[in-house]
Amino acid sequence: MTMLTPPPLDQEDDEMLVPHSDFVPEGPQPMEVVQQPEAAASTAENQPVEDPPSSRFTWTIENFSRLNTKKHYSDVFFVGGYKWRVLIFPKGNNVDHLSMYLDVADSASLPYGWSRYAQFSLAVINQIHNKYTVRKDTQHQFNARESDWGFTSFMPLSDLYDPSRGYLVNDTCIVEAEVAVRRVVDYWTYDSKKETGYVGLKNQGATCYMNSLLQTLYHIPYFRKAVYHMPTTENDMPSGSIPLALQSLFYKLQYSDNSVATKELTKSFGWDTYDSFMQHDVQELNRVLCEKLEDKMKGTVVEGTIQQLFEGHHMNYIECINVDYKSTRKESFYDLQLDVKGCRDVYASFDKYVEVERLEGDNKYHAEQHGLQDAKKGVLFIDFPPVLQLQLKRFEYDFMRDTMVKINDRYEFPLQLDLDRDNGKYLSPDADRRVRNLYTLHSVLVHSGGVHGGHYYAFIRPTLSDQWFKFDDERVTKEDVKRALEEQYGGEEELPQTNPGFNNTPFKFTKYSNAYMLVYIRESDKEKIICNVDEKDIAEHLRIRLKKEQEEKEHKKKEKAEAHLYTIIKVARDEDLAEQIGRDIYFDLVDHDKVRSFRIQKQMPFNLFKEEVAKEFGVPVQFQRFWLWAKRQNHTYRPNRPLSHQEETQSVGQLREVSNKAHNAELKLFLEVELGQELHPLPPPDKTKEDILLFFKLYDPEKEELRYLGRLFVKGGGKPVEILTKLNGMAGFSPNEEIELYEEIKFEPSVMCEHIDKKLTFRASQLEDGDIICFQKSPPVENGDHCRYPDVPSFLEYVHNRQVVHFRSLEKPKEDDFCLELSKLFSYDEVVERVARQLSLADPSKIRLTSHNCYSQQPKPQPIKYRGVEHLSDMLVHYNQTSDILYYEVLDIPLPELQGLKTLKVAFHHATKDEVVIHTIRLPKQSTVGDVINDLKSKVELSHPNAELRLLEVFYHKIYKIFPPSEKIDNINDQYWTLRAEEVPEEEKNLGPQDRLIHVYHFTKDASQNQMQVQNFGEPFFLIIHEGETLAEVKVRIQKKLQVPDEEFSKWKFAFLSLGRPEYLHDSDIVSSRFQRRDVYGAWEQYLGLEHSDTAPKRAYTANQSRLTFEKPVKIYN
């Protein structure tokens, strides 16, 4: 179902913005080009192209939970004359969130250098309450490298797949895209250094927030100088030392001609790639990085630099009005958080910051010796730092919407900031009035996007001149003061009417790009801070190291630039074949990447090149003969024909074109040198059409060895029997030794190696130049069984299919336990038999194997069923990737028997003791919940012999179900849900007609990561409430049940929650009156909430700890 309507783009809410990629290591990457499903084009192909520059597209996805593809594309739709589609990852793009992107549908067929710009929002519609719709918006310049853009963590999968939440109704999900297209100029040929004198930083995933901060810090020269002066040594590694990594990064920003990678720096932070891809907060990173550097500077010549630059002090005071009493406290700050909401500019925010609060009435101040008093409370500044960092509070909690929102209101900031204004109204009496607090704007950090993420870039004027520069990841541009200031104030913007006939209402966009952090430098400290930083400030070892790196880079770049003038000639010789065959390779003759290569100018005549070869190998020119290699139709690569005398007079470049249809820059040759007495070279023999050059390998079945013996010219009309004596001589056998000959024909996709009839002519056996003959002693008839691989074909088959597998215990999935060399063709039984033998286990059927997930680098959730795959190769394949890891378990009963049983992990909660014990229950699949309870009773300690048990399904700290005793256990999934068993309390057995059994859950309001939402934690439970019972009475019972001390319990708040929204209760409220509506969308969506802090460590609440992760705060580990 597809609809196109002009949208009201009025909502904001957004998240980690990255081009879709399967966690790529360096920089934003586009997705691979995917064949578009034919069906997907049907709806949109007939749309008129002359459509508006902005449209809404609705995509209804049925049978959503049954989608079993990693990626799922919508139909194509047109906006602004372009084809678009939505791409989702129904199970997340390597995260436990739905991943969703806007994709340029025809990116694969667009002309080179295409580019288009769009502002867009993506939404998952809440089909029960529209106000809970999740909508996120952003803007992006799409191009060939980034042809899709969006949100890797759009919304938690647990919310999406929870039927009570309203995002999936009748297994149908509705996705909405609103897109507005704007025209832009192409910029791929742009050179930042040439245009501006500065270079950018590469984006390492979602690290633009870090890039904008690093550029700002780098352009404070005094800070940069201090970083250069931090002591490091030549033995330090940048990836293990924050000072060295930052020195290296700053040096490259100062002296490099191209954008600089931040990988070494994030490695020095101790960040893994997942951290780099989690978008964080600039302010959070700024504080953590400065604290880290402050710590690393201690005891060095630059100790205290961070404080000198960024530290200011303010005084918190409370002053009584009617008595002579004043309390003050001095505090330091590195940055100031200023309100945006309700403030028109920075001065209004400072006015609000120092606003005096009256403490009177119920809110009087308790002054020592004076009791409760009316008082004034406020903040004044003792001193401001030379570099003033202002964090603008663009995010705040909206109580009406019960979520964090971004404030996109207009908010002005001046080029010059006078904090002495109005006779120093911001200053405390202790402030030094001789210091002039007049500041000049140095940089503006901009956040573009919505509440959960977005894109960051910075406007900076490095020398405080009138010229501003925009630092947007890799790209640096010159900008005027209007772009840096006024356009970052926020507010609303009206899009120009590009198609007035279609829709005459102006299309207003809230400007989602606006200033988020400001850096001011004090005028009186300007000379000191904007100081000169040159090479002498950089430690010599660092200069040498980084210059060497730079030179290597330049050398590679020069080589690349001049590559079209040169040809690489790779020369293989007999010595290479002898060295490689049986060690590095078994099939064909040589690995060309491991032979001597020459970089030769294309104009050089080939005869001159032969002189280079003579110098290198000590083979005079007259004894050299070169053969061209050719790729055969069966994918083997063999010497094909010798170069003619006429060809040898050509240039190297002409020869390469003769030999190479693929036009790569390489020429591959085989150097034939005939050796005579005492290995002296001889002139090459004349070659006629009758002469065939054959290569010979010798196989030893006893040692299982294959080696290269040499080559011979034979006559096409000759027969193998005529050269047997010669072959025996080459092999060191007696002249009359019986030998068998085989032709190695091909090895991909399978091995083809055929016996040669010694009595047929070479031509009759279809042998030609470059063919390979493998030979061995004829195996004795009576002794054929004592060798594993008695003949050449069986050995080559073994080599082709052998696979070293790393086995890990499922209990220690990160550590290799042992390795086995197996064959990819081994059956299931052969594999488990070899594992059992390794573990000295008599019964191989007690081994259970689990495959490896190449994406998550963890075991797959489901083990391999008994004889569930045919071959080892099937066990190692994950999508289109092959792994060499398997996990094993040793079971206490044979696997076929276990598969007839259902295994459940049940957490038993003791009625009186504060303990939880996990029991593994194993019963036949046709058993019922009643059977589970009976089995448990024999294993657990009950409070009394007649106690009744029940089984509950718990997920994310909520009770979703009480299992009826008759339910079949085969339907129960304990992989994601926790199964909990508990005694049924006596009071619940005697429910009165007016009594209600309600759900009680613990919760906290979580404002981390800029979003305010209810987070459940701890153990949920049931409680009986009686008709007319007040909250005060219920609280007494809850406190007794949970054994909470009075002091802590007094801090708890109690709320009635419906669909995640708390309504706080007073002690006098009748609790039962709230729970009149039965089973709204499931009883768990109406509950009594106990709000208090969660003191337990955060963890994924599942039976399997490896399945889910929580987002982490910024941490720098080194």
Side-chain angles (χ1 to χ4, degrees):
M1 180 173 139
T2 309
M3 302 191 302
L4 285 156
T5 54
L9 260 183
D10 60 345
Q11 235 186 317
E12 56 75 34
D13 227 64
D14 141 357
E15 167 75 5
M16 162 172 163
L17 289 149
V18 285
H20 139 237
S21 58
D22 293 331
F23 276 176
V24 287
E26 178 80 51
Q29 302 271 327
M31 65 179 193
E32 67 276 23
V33 176
V34 178
Q35 268 321 109
Q36 185 186 319
E38 285 171 34
S42 58
T43 320
E45 284 303 329
N46 310 322
Q47 298 285 343
V49 177
E50 299 77 29
D51 64 354
S54 56
S55 289
R56 176 183 294 167
F57 167 75
T58 303
W59 179 23
T60 303
I61 311 168
E62 294 173 350
N63 301 321
F64 188 84
S65 65
R66 278 181 264 162
L67 294 174
N68 57 4
T69 52
K70 188 170 164 62
K71 303 173 187 173
H72 191 51
Y73 287 93
S74 75
D75 290 350
V76 175
F77 60 95
F78 282 90
V79 181
Y82 297 129
K83 291 180 179 180
W84 305 89
R85 58 185 177 173
V86 177
L87 160 64
I88 63 166
F89 286 65
K91 301 291 188 289
N93 183 7
N94 299 318
V95 291
D96 55 356
H97 284 62
L98 174 72
S99 304
M100 181 150 61
Y101 310 88
L102 180 67
D103 175 51
V104 176
D106 53 351
S107 59
S109 59
L110 290 173
Y112 178 79
W114 67 272
S115 171
R116 65 185 63 160
Y117 180 75
Q119 291 174 302
F120 63 94
S121 74
L122 299 171
V124 173
I125 304 299
N126 191 300
Q127 299 166 58
I128 294 173
H129 288 299
N130 194 45
K131 64 180 173 180
Y132 294 126
T133 290
V134 180
R135 188 180 305 279
K136 301 187 175 182
D137 32 52
T138 183
Q139 52 204 335
H140 182 58
Q141 177 143 334
F142 293 83
N143 49 57
R145 289 203 326 184
E146 294 174 359
S147 62
D148 60 282
W149 194 257
F151 311 91
T152 297
S153 298
F154 185 81
M155 65 180 293
L157 292 176
S158 55
D159 288 357
L160 176 63
Y161 284 96
D162 182 341
S164 69
R165 291 292 173 104
Y167 300 106
L168 267 192
V169 173
N170 298 326
D171 207 14
T172 296
C173 180
I174 300 173
V175 168
E176 207 169 75
E178 294 177 345
V179 183
V181 174
R182 285 171 129 182
R183 311 287 172 195
V184 283
V185 290
D186 170 51
Y187 65 77
W188 284 114
T189 54
Y190 184 81
D191 182 333
S192 292
K193 183 80 168 201
K194 201 164 127 192
E195 299 293 333
T196 66
Y198 300 106
V199 296
L201 290 166
K202 289 176 178 159
N203 190 323
Q204 193 183 321
T207 56
C208 46
Y209 68 99
M210 179 176 74
N211 290 352
S212 56
L213 178 67
L214 289 172
Q215 288 282 16
T216 305
L217 293 172
Y218 167 81
H219 287 292
I220 300 171
Y222 190 89
F223 178 85
R224 189 190 333 158
K225 197 175 228 175
V227 166
Y228 282 152
H229 283 266
M230 291 174 77
T232 51
T233 72
E234 60 261 39
N235 299 325
D236 291 349
M237 287 306 294
S239 57
S241 156
I242 292 175
L244 184 58
L246 206 51
Q247 287 171 348
S248 169
L249 184 83
F250 282 2
Y251 180 91
K252 288 171 187 170
L253 281 174
Q254 195 160 343
Y255 294 106
S256 174
D257 290 332
N258 306 101
S259 57
V260 180
T262 55
K263 213 156 190 196
E264 278 184 345
L265 184 67
T266 55
K267 269 191 180 165
S268 77
F269 289 173
W271 287 5
D272 52 24
T273 50
Y274 182 64
D275 280 308
S276 330
F277 279 86
M278 280 176 40
Q279 217 179 43
H280 296 299
D281 185 303
V282 170
Q283 180 183 355
E284 194 183 357
L285 180 71
N286 188 19
R287 287 187 176 171
V288 174
L289 183 59
C290 283
E291 277 171 23
K292 241 348 161 183
L293 286 173
E294 194 180 324
D295 188 46
K296 301 273 182 190
M297 288 178 175
K298 279 183 183 152
T300 74
V301 289
V302 287
E303 181 170 358
T305 301
I306 300 289
Q307 291 97 314
Q308 286 166 30
L309 277 177
F310 303 116
E311 188 177 46
H313 297 89
H314 50 49
M315 177 187 80
N316 294 303
Y317 68 86
I318 298 176
E319 189 173 1
C320 293
I321 295 167
N322 303 318
V323 295
D324 183 17
Y325 181 85
K326 187 174 183 179
S327 161
T328 61
R329 187 174 77 254
K330 179 180 176 180
E331 284 183 358
S332 67
F333 62 85
Y334 284 126
D335 55 32
L336 292 172
Q337 293 202 42
L338 299 183
D339 282 324
V340 170
K341 188 85 171 167
C343 297
R344 66 178 298 278
D345 61 11
V346 172
Y347 288 123
S349 298
F350 268 99
D351 291 345
K352 197 169 175 184
Y353 205 99
V354 299
E355 210 169 55
V356 177
E357 183 188 346
R358 304 278 296 203
L359 303 178
E360 52 195 13
D362 289 346
N363 197 23
K364 283 186 178 182
Y365 174 64
H366 191 281
E368 288 172 28
Q369 291 121 30
H370 301 285
L372 292 172
Q373 291 290 332
D374 290 344
K376 294 184 297 182
K377 177 184 177 187
V379 176
L380 288 168
F381 291 92
I382 299 167
D383 56 59
F384 291 105
V387 179
L388 180 63
Q389 301 184 100
L390 303 178
Q391 305 282 352
L392 307 183
K393 285 156 77 174
R394 284 276 178 197
F395 299 101
E396 69 170 37
Y397 181 60
D398 181 334
F399 285 93
M400 297 304 288
R401 289 169 64 184
D402 190 23
T403 184
M404 290 299 280
V405 291
K406 185 177 175 195
I407 311 296
N408 288 303
D409 300 358
R410 184 176 174 84
Y411 179 86
E412 297 175 14
F413 43 91
L415 258 180
Q416 277 216 318
L417 179 68
D418 186 356
L419 294 177
D420 289 335
R421 68 196 283 256
D422 294 355
N423 202 23
K425 65 176 177 180
Y426 306 134
L427 299 173
S428 79
D430 305 342
D432 184 349
R433 298 293 175 121
R434 290 169 303 175
V435 176
R436 178 77 177 94
N437 291 304
L438 182 65
Y439 284 85
T440 294
L441 186 61
H442 171 265
S443 40
V444 179
L445 273 75
V446 175
H447 177 267
S448 164
V451 70
H452 302 309
H455 185 57
Y456 292 91
Y457 46 91
F459 291 94
I460 304 173
R461 47 178 186 160
T463 59
L464 299 182
S465 68
D466 292 338
Q467 182 61 63
W468 286 86
F469 297 90
K470 179 183 179 186
F471 292 83
D472 187 353
D473 286 341
E474 296 178 42
R475 185 174 160 85
V476 187
T477 49
K478 287 184 175 178
E479 303 290 351
D480 59 25
V481 69
K482 184 171 183 288
R483 286 298 302 275
L485 265 75
E486 290 169 43
E487 293 198 12
Q488 308 316 321
Y489 289 164
E492 282 195 333
E493 179 183 0
E494 204 167 283
L495 286 184
Q497 284 289 307
T498 51
N499 193 347
F502 183 83
N503 181 356
N504 289 320
T505 55
F507 189 49
K508 275 194 176 180
F509 248 109
T510 299
K511 288 169 76 174
Y512 293 114
S513 299
N514 36 49
Y516 173 80
M517 176 176 162
L518 306 171
V519 178
Y520 282 93
I521 290 178
R522 190 158 47 203
E523 282 281 346
S524 56
D525 293 300
K526 198 161 67 175
E527 303 304 319
K528 178 178 138 190
I529 286 161
I530 308 295
C531 57
N532 192 35
V533 184
D534 52 32
E535 284 224 329
K536 68 176 185 299
D537 290 300
I538 302 164
E540 191 185 4
H541 77 84
L542 188 67
R543 280 207 302 271
I544 293 166
R545 177 199 290 237
L546 295 171
K547 270 192 175 152
K548 194 174 164 195
E549 261 180 43
Q550 201 63 24
E551 281 162 13
E552 281 171 12
K553 210 170 168 184
E554 291 302 322
H555 180 64
K556 278 184 187 165
K557 194 176 170 186
K558 187 169 178 246
E559 273 194 357
K560 204 172 173 184
E562 294 175 352
H564 64 288
L565 304 174
Y566 289 85
T567 290
I568 302 293
I569 303 181
K570 293 186 170 176
V571 178
R573 303 181 299 146
D574 274 325
E575 287 87 340
D576 296 308
L577 276 59
E579 191 178 308
Q580 292 186 22
I581 291 168
R583 286 194 189 88
D584 305 336
I585 60 167
Y586 290 87
F587 301 99
D588 266 357
L589 292 169
V590 75
D591 177 350
H592 291 274
D593 290 336
K594 293 181 179 169
V595 303
R596 175 73 173 86
S597 69
F598 299 82
R599 188 168 183 260
I600 304 294
Q601 284 198 317
K602 286 182 180 174
Q603 294 95 322
M604 182 188 276
F606 190 79
N607 282 324
L608 268 182
F609 165 67
K610 289 175 77 171
E611 290 178 16
E612 294 255 332
V613 173
K615 273 188 238 163
E616 177 70 23
F617 297 134
V619 177
V621 169
Q622 66 271 29
F623 302 139
Q624 301 173 13
R625 177 157 62 191
F626 287 93
W627 289 66
L628 291 170
W629 293 78
K631 188 164 192 175
R632 297 182 175 181
Q633 279 185 322
N634 64 11
H635 304 299
T636 57
Y637 206 61
R638 307 284 175 82
N640 184 40
R641 64 176 179 83
L643 290 177
S644 67
H645 289 298
Q646 191 268 325
E647 283 173 329
E648 291 196 356
T649 62
Q650 294 180 339
S651 72
V652 163
Q654 287 169 309
L655 253 185
R656 185 199 63 112
E657 282 165 27
V658 168
S659 81
N660 199 332
K661 306 283 188 295
H663 290 299
N664 67 22
E666 290 183 355
L667 172 61
K668 296 189 176 99
L669 298 172
F670 174 69
L671 172 59
E672 175 203 341
V673 180
E674 296 300 327
L675 297 175
Q677 295 296 318
E678 297 177 9
L679 300 180
H680 286 306
L682 301 172
D686 290 338
K687 179 180 181 326
T688 65
K689 279 193 174 173
E690 181 66 10
D691 293 307
I692 302 171
L693 177 65
L694 297 177
F695 292 84
F696 292 89
K697 299 178 186 177
L698 174 68
Y699 174 54
D700 181 342
E702 300 277 342
K703 295 181 181 171
E704 292 181 7
E705 270 179 11
L706 186 74
R707 63 188 175 93
Y708 176 67
L709 267 200
R711 56 189 161 71
L712 292 175
F713 280 105
V714 298
K715 298 290 182 188
K719 295 176 181 176
V721 288
E722 296 159 12
I723 60 164
L724 295 183
T725 308
K726 199 165 203 176
L727 291 180
N728 278 331
M730 287 164 71
F733 298 161
S734 65
N736 301 321
E737 181 71 54
E738 279 287 316
I739 55 176
E740 297 300 322
L741 277 59
Y742 299 87
E743 185 193 355
E744 179 194 313
I745 300 169
K746 64 167 190 156
F747 56 92
E748 286 298 346
S750 55
V751 173
M752 192 169 175
C753 180
E754 292 185 350
H755 193 268
I756 294 174
D757 188 332
K758 288 176 273 195
K759 296 186 179 65
L760 285 178
T761 64
F762 289 108
R763 195 176 293 112
S765 293
Q766 297 183 327
L767 291 165
E768 58 185 53
D769 282 327
D771 277 347
I772 300 169
I773 291 178
C774 302
F775 69 96
Q776 66 177 93
K777 288 182 182 178
S778 300
V781 179
E782 76 285 351
N783 203 10
D785 292 343
H786 81 290
C787 295
R788 288 200 307 167
Y789 309 106
D791 56 22
V792 172
S794 63
F795 177 72
L796 290 180
E797 190 73 47
Y798 152 71
V799 168
H800 184 251
N801 289 304
R802 72 176 164 190
Q803 170 78 54
V804 174
V805 181
H806 299 259
F807 284 90
R808 300 175 176 181
S809 164
L810 193 64
E811 290 174 359
K812 294 180 182 170
K814 293 281 178 222
E815 300 166 24
D816 282 0
D817 199 351
F818 56 87
C819 296
L820 293 177
E821 186 186 279
L822 309 170
S823 165
K824 292 175 194 166
L825 302 177
F826 269 12
S827 66
Y828 174 90
D829 285 0
E830 286 172 305
V831 174
V832 293
E833 192 276 320
R834 288 294 301 277
V835 174
R837 197 190 311 164
Q838 173 72 27
L839 298 171
S840 306
L841 184 70
D843 184 355
S845 69
K846 288 186 178 175
I847 297 288
R848 179 162 68 176
L849 300 174
T850 299
S851 295
H852 179 68
N853 180 328
C854 298
Y855 296 112
S856 68
Q857 294 296 314
Q858 290 185 332
K860 286 190 187 175
Q862 301 297 341
I864 297 168
K865 289 199 160 80
Y866 179 71
R867 294 181 180 164
V869 294
E870 287 203 25
H871 298 114
L872 172 65
S873 54
D874 303 319
M875 298 180 187
L876 300 176
V877 171
H878 177 63
Y879 292 111
N880 57 349
Q881 293 191 30
T882 302
S883 124
D884 61 355
I885 296 168
L886 283 175
Y887 303 87
Y888 73 88
E889 300 162 87
V890 178
L891 306 171
D892 53 349
I893 61 171
L895 182 55
E897 194 181 318
L898 179 66
Q899 282 177 192
L901 303 174
K902 172 85 174 177
T903 302
L904 296 175
K905 280 196 166 59
V906 179
F908 177 69
H909 289 240
H910 197 280
T912 52
K913 293 182 190 168
D914 187 18
E915 67 176 30
V916 177
V917 181
I918 307 252
H919 291 275
T920 301
I921 307 290
R922 200 184 274 158
L923 292 168
K925 287 183 175 175
Q926 59 274 25
S927 307
T928 62
V929 169
D931 298 326
V932 173
I933 288 170
N934 289 335
D935 190 67
L936 255 182
K937 280 184 178 175
S938 65
K939 296 178 176 175
V940 301
E941 182 189 340
L942 300 174
S943 60
H944 61 93
N946 301 323
E948 282 181 34
L949 296 185
R950 64 181 167 205
L951 192 65
L952 315 174
E953 179 180 87
V954 177
F955 184 57
Y956 279 109
H957 315 281
K958 293 181 177 182
I959 298 169
Y960 278 74
K961 183 173 184 178
I962 302 178
F963 288 100
S966 58
E967 182 159 339
K968 291 271 190 291
I969 63 169
D970 202 23
N971 305 328
I972 297 177
N973 177 2
D974 68 338
Q975 193 179 332
Y976 294 107
W977 326 106
T978 299
L979 298 180
R980 179 168 114 191
E982 63 184 23
E983 290 185 21
V984 180
E986 285 302 313
E987 58 173 2
E988 286 184 30
K989 296 178 187 172
N990 309 308
L991 277 181
Q994 302 303 318
D995 291 342
R996 296 292 308 274
L997 191 62
I998 65 164
H999 293 239
V1000 185
Y1001 304 155
H1002 304 269
F1003 78 96
T1004 180
K1005 279 281 194 63
D1006 184 9
S1008 65
Q1009 283 300 106
N1010 292 331
Q1011 63 187 33
M1012 180 64 79
Q1013 62 186 59
V1014 167
Q1015 292 280 357
N1016 294 104
F1017 66 92
E1019 297 295 351
F1021 59 94
F1022 291 118
L1023 189 74
I1024 291 175
I1025 47 169
H1026 307 297
E1027 186 70 20
E1029 198 173 16
T1030 63
L1031 177 65
E1033 292 167 313
V1034 171
K1035 276 163 70 172
V1036 172
R1037 291 197 288 125
I1038 288 176
Q1039 184 179 3
K1040 185 180 173 190
K1041 182 179 178 74
L1042 300 180
Q1043 306 275 295
V1044 185
D1046 289 350
E1047 187 184 348
E1048 191 187 330
F1049 196 70
S1050 65
K1051 298 174 193 165
W1052 287 22
K1053 291 184 191 167
F1054 293 77
F1056 168 73
L1057 284 96
S1058 179
L1059 288 169
R1061 294 172 66 82
E1063 184 187 326
Y1064 290 94
L1065 303 177
H1066 302 289
D1067 281 359
S1068 57
D1069 288 345
I1070 306 296
V1071 179
S1072 57
S1073 64
R1074 308 286 166 152
F1075 290 90
Q1076 291 309 311
R1077 293 169 62 204
R1078 290 177 181 270
D1079 295 341
V1080 186
Y1081 301 108
W1084 61 85
E1085 279 308 349
Q1086 280 199 353
Y1087 61 88
L1088 180 62
L1090 317 180
E1091 186 185 357
H1092 57 100
S1093 58
D1094 177 7
T1095 50
K1098 272 196 176 174
R1099 64 188 178 90
Y1101 189 74
T1102 67
N1104 189 329
Q1105 290 298 315
S1106 65
R1107 307 288 183 224
L1108 295 170
T1109 55
F1110 278 83
E1111 225 172 270
K1112 301 178 274 190
V1114 173
K1115 285 196 187 77
I1116 296 179
Y1117 302 99
N1118 274 339

